[in-house]
């Protein structure tokens, strides 16, 4: 599961990093959350998770609501679901 999750994160970051670099705030927030996830998956984070993940909600609102990029919203929602399952959250 960890390998599949990390691959999905890499795929999502490939899309979100360019948008975040242009200061598109929803992408900045999603990118920030995506960069935290591998630390928890790999057990490298010594810190508590900074609040609930909201990247799925942001992605649906910004990329799926108007049919713009539903596949990207689905990918982010999938990453969030896998991460929550990994951490025992739901």
């Amino acid at each position: 599961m960890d390998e599949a999750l990390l691959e999905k994160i890499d795929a999502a970051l490939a899309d979100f990093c360019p948008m975040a670099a242009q200061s598109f705030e929803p992408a900045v927030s999603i990118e920030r959350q995506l960069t935290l996830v591998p630390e928890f998956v790999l057990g490298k984070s010594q810190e508590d998770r900074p609040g609930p993940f909201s990247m799925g909600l942001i992605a649906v609102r910004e990329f799926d609501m108007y049919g713009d990029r539903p596949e990207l919203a689905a990918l982010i929602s999938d990453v969030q679901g896998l991460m929550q399952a990994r951490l025992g959250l739901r």
Side-chain angles (χ1 to χ4, degrees):
M1 177 168 111
D2 291 348
E3 187 64 33
L5 176 55
L6 293 172
E7 287 175 12
K8 289 179 183 216
I9 292 167
D10 287 342
L13 282 170
D15 282 321
F16 280 97
C17 286
M19 288 186 275
Q22 294 180 10
S23 300
F24 180 50
E25 285 302 317
V28 170
S29 179
I30 291 171
E31 179 191 40
R32 182 173 42 249
Q33 291 179 61
L34 285 171
T35 57
L36 290 174
V37 172
E39 293 179 11
F40 287 99
V41 171
L42 299 173
K44 293 182 179 180
S45 180
Q46 301 298 318
E47 299 177 22
D48 290 335
R49 188 173 47 88
F53 291 110
S54 59
M55 62 185 135
L57 177 63
I58 295 168
V60 167
R61 184 184 69 219
E62 296 296 329
F63 300 104
D64 192 24
M65 187 179 294
Y66 302 107
D68 184 44
R69 297 200 52 197
E71 73 288 345
L72 189 54
L75 175 61
I76 295 301
S77 293
D78 192 29
V79 168
Q80 180 173 321
L82 289 170
M83 187 59 195
Q84 288 173 321
R86 172 80 161 69
L87 293 175
L89 307 171
R90 273 283 164 175

